Amino acid sequence: MSGEEPNPAALPVPVEDVQGDGRWMSQHNRFVQECKDAEPDVLFIGDSMVQLMQQQEVWRELFSPLHALNFGIAGDTTCNVLWRLKNGELQNIRPKVVVVWVGTNNHEHTAEQVAGGVVAISQLFISQLPQAKIVVLGLLPRGEKPNPLREKNTAVNGYLRSWLPKLGPVQFLDVSSEFVHSDGTISRTDMFDFLHLSASGYQTVAKPLSELLLQLLEETPEDKHNALV
């Protein structure tokens, strides 16, 4: 991020309980409780793209066997994820790999700010979980046809592709090009509402992600050390 002003997309902020039912905080508290009981090798954190993955067959087939925890909450921004991480969602767990997928809901922020928020999340993981590898998923296109939000997400991915390698143990996985047809449209078979993924859409994401996770889990320092003992 350039300039002296703090990046608003990198400030930890809880979700305001506009509806009055306390659902967001209840979900956060459930995740904090899960940290006391679980010993995940992989932690997924982010917005609805992460949350809804748990309802898909690919989660049961590819990610559950990896001892994965899913800390996705629909509607979350980088600010909300940062707040959750700083308020208990990393206590007592030491995942070997972390998957971060968030940013498409940061409507109030510029592409550069959103990417800076994702970088801030990655930096927090590096400081709190120095042994962990981090995978950041690129933002997907949205809307049936080309539109400004799609252009913004593409710009976010451009910044992330440039900035993340400088952090160290962070890999950027971008499969956004798989969803856009030659005429610039997105199919309902991949995104049923032109934002959220269908089963086939999750398959497109899950295959390269699963392969990367298996590779990273084999390479963790803990495993290397155990192999030498």
Side-chain angles (χ1 to χ4, degrees):
M1 288 295 298
S2 57
E4 300 300 320
E5 292 294 317
N7 175 11
L11 300 176
V13 179
V15 167
E16 184 183 352
D17 186 20
V18 178
Q19 289 86 7
D21 57 9
R23 280 184 306 116
W24 186 85
M25 191 60 71
S26 295
Q27 291 179 89
H28 164 66
N29 290 336
R30 177 167 62 85
F31 295 154
V32 173
Q33 186 61 42
E34 281 189 57
C35 289
K36 298 176 181 177
D37 307 319
E39 295 182 1
D41 285 337
V42 183
L43 172 65
F44 284 73
I45 192 158
D47 53 33
S48 60
M49 308 303 283
V50 171
Q51 183 180 39
L52 295 174
M53 189 187 295
Q54 198 165 8
Q55 301 174 13
Q56 300 293 325
E57 189 61 34
V58 292
W59 183 266
R60 292 183 287 276
E61 285 180 4
L62 300 176
F63 302 127
S64 260
L66 302 182
H67 306 290
L69 269 185
N70 187 310
F71 283 2
I73 300 183
D76 263 16
T77 65
T78 55
C79 304
N80 307 142
V81 167
L82 276 168
W83 189 93
R84 292 200 275 131
L85 292 173
K86 288 175 176 284
N87 286 274
E89 289 190 19
L90 286 182
Q91 289 177 3
N92 308 309
I93 59 172
R94 292 187 63 194
K96 297 174 182 176
V97 184
V98 176
V99 179
V100 179
W101 203 6
V102 70
T104 197
N105 296 317
N106 283 66
H107 303 304
E108 298 178 3
H109 305 129
T110 67
E112 186 179 12
Q113 289 170 341
V114 177
V118 176
V119 167
I121 292 169
S122 302
Q123 289 171 323
L124 179 63
F125 277 121
I126 290 169
S127 65
Q128 297 294 314
L129 300 170
Q131 298 300 313
K133 305 280 183 70
I134 301 161
V135 176
V136 173
L137 289 175
L139 302 187
L140 296 184
R142 48 188 295 164
E144 182 181 12
K145 299 173 181 176
N147 62 79
L149 279 180
R150 225 198 257 190
E151 293 171 12
K152 178 182 170 183
N153 283 4
T154 299
V156 171
N157 290 344
Y159 286 118
L160 292 176
R161 192 173 290 107
S162 171
W163 294 346
L164 290 175
K166 301 171 186 174
L167 299 183
V170 184
Q171 296 213 32
F172 182 56
L173 179 61
D174 181 13
V175 297
S176 57
S177 62
E178 299 292 322
F179 291 91
V180 181
H181 295 229
S182 57
D183 63 356
T185 63
I186 289 173
S187 171
R188 277 188 299 125
T189 59
D190 290 326
M191 295 182 183
F192 60 88
D193 60 354
F194 305 112
L195 172 62
H196 298 99
L197 295 172
S198 63
S200 67
Y202 272 112
Q203 287 280 359
T204 300
V205 175
K207 187 175 186 299
L209 177 57
S210 171
E211 291 171 356
L212 178 57
L213 291 180
L214 289 172
Q215 176 188 330
L216 292 176
L217 287 168
E218 286 178 4
E219 292 177 356
T220 55
E222 256 178 67
D223 291 346
K224 284 188 176 178
H225 172 75
N226 292 339
L228 295 172
V229 173

